[in-house]
């Protein structure tokens, strides 16, 4: 994810692919992608202003393919959490028709053992994925590793579909943008 926040600019949308049987509307874009870029923006374009009426603290993103063409917008909002409760993050993925094509819900657990998060299975972070909204298609779970993040992608039956191995995130004590 980009480290800086930019203002939206006129972007070219990726051409909408033909519908695919069995694929939720709006997710056809993902069929031919092997890479995408996510960039945080300060504000969404005016035609997506309905999404600006949410939380004042919402984070907004653009999702592009490797050619720089816009695929989706994303809006991230968080629930209020007390000191001892978990915080829930909601991410809406919005297509060029201004429709939510995917919803991601992640509970951020406050599990710290000796200042290291996610040491135990009960502290692992999971994100539930719905597409279309209201229909669970699976989830992603982060597994603990001292050197790098590992993410497992599961279908709705909890079968492992893929594994994403990330690079080591700390360089000279600083968090940097990383490519997975």
């Amino acid at each position: 994810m980009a480290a800086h926040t930019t203002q939206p600019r006129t972007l070219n949308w990726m051409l909408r692919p033909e519908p695919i049987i069995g694929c939720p509307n709006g997710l056809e874009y993902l069929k031919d992608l092997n890479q995408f870029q996510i960039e945080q923006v300060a504000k969404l374009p005016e035609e997506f202003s309905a999404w600006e009426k949410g939380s004042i603290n919402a984070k907004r993103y653009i999702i592009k393919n490797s050619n720089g063409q816009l695929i989706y917008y994303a809006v991230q909002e968080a629930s209020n959490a007390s000191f001892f409760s978990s915080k829930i993050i909601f991410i809406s993925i919005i297509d060029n028709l201004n429709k939510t094509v995917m919803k991601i819900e992640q509970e951020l657990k406050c599990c710290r053992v000796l200042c290291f998060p996610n040491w135990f299975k009960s502290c692992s972070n999971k994100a539930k994925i719905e597409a279309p909204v209201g229909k669970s298609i699976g989830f992603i779970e982060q597994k603990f590793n001292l050197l790098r993040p590992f993410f497992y992608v599961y279908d709705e039956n909890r079968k492992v579909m893929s594994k994403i191995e990330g690079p080591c995130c700390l360089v000279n004590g600083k968090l940097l943008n990383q490519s997975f």
Side-chain angles (χ1 to χ4, degrees), residues 104-118:
I104 302 167
E105 181 180 317
Q106 179 184 13
E107 180 181 5
L108 297 177
K109 298 178 182 176
C110 186
C111 268
R112 303 251 185 239
V113 177
L114 301 174
C115 299
F116 294 106
N118 303 331

Side-chain angles (χ1 to χ4, degrees), residues 156-168:
E156 67 276 7
N157 298 316
R158 301 193 179 274
K159 178 183 171 194
V160 176
M161 301 304 292
S162 65
K163 176 181 169 184
I164 303 168
E165 180 179 334
C168 186

Side-chain angles (χ1 to χ4, degrees), residues 20-174:
I20 300 170
I21 296 173
C23 179
N25 284 338
L27 297 187
E28 303 91 354
Y29 292 102
L30 303 176
K31 178 186 168 277
D32 296 323
L33 290 181
N34 61 2
Q35 173 183 333
F36 58 89
Q37 303 162 5
I38 302 172
E39 182 179 324
Q40 187 172 2
V41 294
K43 187 176 180 189
L44 293 178
E46 193 170 310
E47 64 268 25
F48 292 87
S49 62
W51 292 99
E52 296 293 323
K53 293 182 173 92
S55 167
I56 194 163
N57 296 320
K59 294 180 182 176
R60 297 147 189 94
Y61 303 91
I62 54 175
I63 302 171
K64 303 181 287 186
N65 65 17
S66 56
N67 295 327
Q69 295 171 311
L70 189 59
I71 306 169
Y72 301 112
Y73 286 113
V75 177
Q76 174 185 318
E77 297 181 278
S79 66
N80 293 329
S82 67
F83 182 73
F84 292 105
S85 69
S86 299
K87 184 180 215 176
I88 298 177
I89 301 291
F90 301 97
I91 302 171
S92 297
I93 308 296
I94 307 151
D95 71 2
N96 64 339
L97 300 174
N98 205 4
K99 295 187 178 186
T100 302
V101 296
M102 184 185 306
K103 191 158 204 132
I104 302 167
E105 181 180 317
Q106 179 184 13
E107 180 181 5
L108 297 177
K109 298 178 182 176
C110 186
C111 268
R112 303 251 185 239
V113 177
L114 301 174
C115 299
F116 294 106
N118 303 331
W119 267 54
F120 301 103
K121 185 169 179 65
S122 64
C123 296
S124 67
N125 283 308
K126 289 183 186 177
K128 181 175 97 173
I129 303 168
E130 296 178 353
V133 176
K135 182 183 184 318
S136 177
I137 61 169
F139 64 97
I140 299 172
E141 183 175 25
Q142 180 181 4
K143 301 290 187 174
F144 173 74
N145 185 291
L146 281 173
L147 301 177
R148 63 188 43 169
F150 285 94
F151 299 90
Y152 288 85
V153 180
Y154 298 90
D155 68 9
E156 67 276 7
N157 298 316
R158 301 193 179 274
K159 178 183 171 194
V160 176
M161 301 304 292
S162 65
K163 176 181 169 184
I164 303 168
E165 180 179 334
C168 186
C169 294
L170 290 175
V171 177
N172 294 331
K174 294 183 180 179

Side-chain angles (χ1 to χ4, degrees), residues 1-21:
M1 206 175 296
H4 63 283
T5 302
T6 60
Q7 289 292 348
R9 55 202 170 282
T10 303
L11 292 170
N12 295 325
W13 282 91
M14 179 178 166
L15 291 176
R16 190 176 190 101
E18 292 295 319
I20 300 170
I21 296 173

